[in-house]
Amino acid sequence: MGSLGKAVYTVGFWIRETGQALDRLGSRLQGSYHFQEQLSRHRTLMNIFDKAPVVDKDAFVAPSASVIGDVQVGRGSSIWYGCVLRGDVNSISVGSGTNIQDNSLVHVAKSNLSGKVLPTIIGDNVTVGHSAVLHGCTVEDEAFVGMGATLLDGVYVEKHAMVAAGALVRQGTRIPCGEVWGGNPAKFLRKLTEEEMAFISQSAINYCNLAQVHAAENAKSFDEIELEKMLRKKYARRDEEYDSMLGVVRETPAELILPDNIMPDKAPKAA
């Protein structure tokens, strides 16, 4: 933004501020305080009782997610938009490199009918698909929970096991290593292939990389966002064929280039 642009922006800012100040003054003179905005009660990280979430500095928690109470989130894990992790009557533990995708719910149970304490424990490099529900259960390392699946109290998903999308896993069910379970109620479908096991690990890596991009985007200032909007507008009108006729080479700004590790066809080559 040049000097003229900054001056125009500043003038506009003060005009708006003056207008808002006059509006507040008029409302006070009329005896009405309806102009006051209500405070948004949403907090991404929220204490409950004496418990506070502990989130690793390298983890990503989306602004619209809610991580509440006795919750631990490990290094490189990601809690996506609209998720709720509520550790109020018990604890939630999320390992390293795990992704809990948009609109998923993770809760706990104080105890079951037999008095067994039921926290929710999610291991390392686990993928939990969109809109899944995990309640008082355990999911071991490198397991996969499909979109819309529901895991009830006491469910135990072993390493390299997969819960199919939309499955309802009944209380106390144990899903052995290397098996796919699905349906309502969930039952054994088949064994996982080697390729599918590799996919589970790769899925966790992909989401870890993608989370870094979202974390960087959410950390941008207003000025950075406005600059990128201007650059996109400018380069949207670029005609590569016309430029080549003129011998003009226009390099795309670094701000508009998606990192190589996010593009499937641009995976870094092994040395």
Side-chain angles (χ1 to χ4, degrees):
M1 186 182 293
S3 299
L4 178 60
K6 288 181 178 178
V8 171
Y9 176 85
T10 302
V11 171
F13 172 80
W14 285 113
I15 289 173
R16 293 183 64 189
E17 286 293 306
T18 303
Q20 290 175 12
L22 290 171
D23 180 60
R24 289 194 291 269
L25 176 60
S27 295
R28 283 196 176 96
L29 292 174
Q30 290 180 329
S32 171
Y33 289 86
H34 291 299
F35 69 90
Q36 294 179 346
E37 293 182 3
Q38 294 296 317
L39 175 67
S40 171
R41 295 294 176 182
H42 172 74
R43 283 184 281 168
T44 303
L45 303 178
M46 191 178 89
N47 297 8
I48 189 77
F49 310 125
D50 60 337
K51 303 296 184 181
V54 178
V55 179
D56 189 274
K57 62 182 179 63
D58 292 325
F60 167 65
V61 179
S64 59
S66 295
V67 180
I68 304 165
D70 191 1
V71 181
Q72 292 190 344
V73 180
R75 179 184 177 88
S77 288
S78 52
I79 312 299
W80 290 82
Y81 305 94
C83 286
V84 176
L85 279 68
R86 179 155 59 91
D88 43 13
V89 297
N90 217 319
S91 64
I92 297 172
S93 174
V94 179
S96 301
T98 287
N99 62 91
I100 301 179
Q101 297 172 19
D102 316 68
N103 296 321
S104 291
L105 169 65
V106 182
H107 193 221
V108 291
K110 193 168 185 179
S111 63
N112 61 10
L113 292 175
S114 61
K116 183 179 179 181
V117 177
L118 291 174
T120 295
I121 302 170
I122 304 171
D124 299 337
N125 303 316
V126 172
T127 291
V128 177
H130 312 285
S131 300
V133 177
L134 280 67
H135 199 279
C137 59
T138 298
V139 182
E140 287 191 345
D141 300 348
E142 297 183 8
F144 188 98
V145 178
M147 293 183 285
T150 300
L151 278 59
L152 299 179
D153 294 357
V155 168
Y156 197 104
V157 182
E158 294 184 4
K159 185 175 182 177
H160 291 148
M162 179 181 286
V163 179
L168 173 63
V169 187
R170 291 186 295 187
Q171 293 181 355
T173 301
R174 190 179 188 98
I175 300 180
C177 172
E179 293 186 1
V180 183
W181 284 51
N184 182 2
K187 59 183 180 180
F188 170 73
L189 299 179
R190 60 180 176 81
K191 289 284 189 178
L192 276 169
T193 64
E194 292 294 329
E195 292 77 11
E196 287 169 331
M197 289 187 187
F199 166 77
I200 293 175
S201 299
Q202 188 59 47
S203 174
I205 293 171
N206 291 345
Y207 260 89
C208 187
N209 292 335
L210 187 59
Q212 294 176 36
V213 176
H214 282 258
E217 186 67 32
N218 279 284
K220 287 178 180 174
S221 66
F222 176 79
D223 287 341
E224 288 175 314
I225 293 170
E226 288 299 301
L227 173 62
E228 287 192 10
K229 285 168 65 177
M230 181 270 292
L231 290 173
R232 286 194 179 92
K233 198 172 188 180
K234 176 181 176 182
Y235 280 85
R237 294 195 294 265
R238 183 176 59 175
D239 188 329
E240 294 182 1
E241 186 176 346
Y242 180 70
D243 286 349
S244 65
M245 290 172 59
L246 298 178
V248 175
V249 177
R250 304 178 196 268
E251 293 186 0
T252 304
E255 295 88 346
L256 303 184
I257 299 175
L258 199 62
D260 287 349
N261 61 357
I262 304 305
M263 302 294 289
D265 58 340
K266 288 189 176 182
K269 295 180 180 178

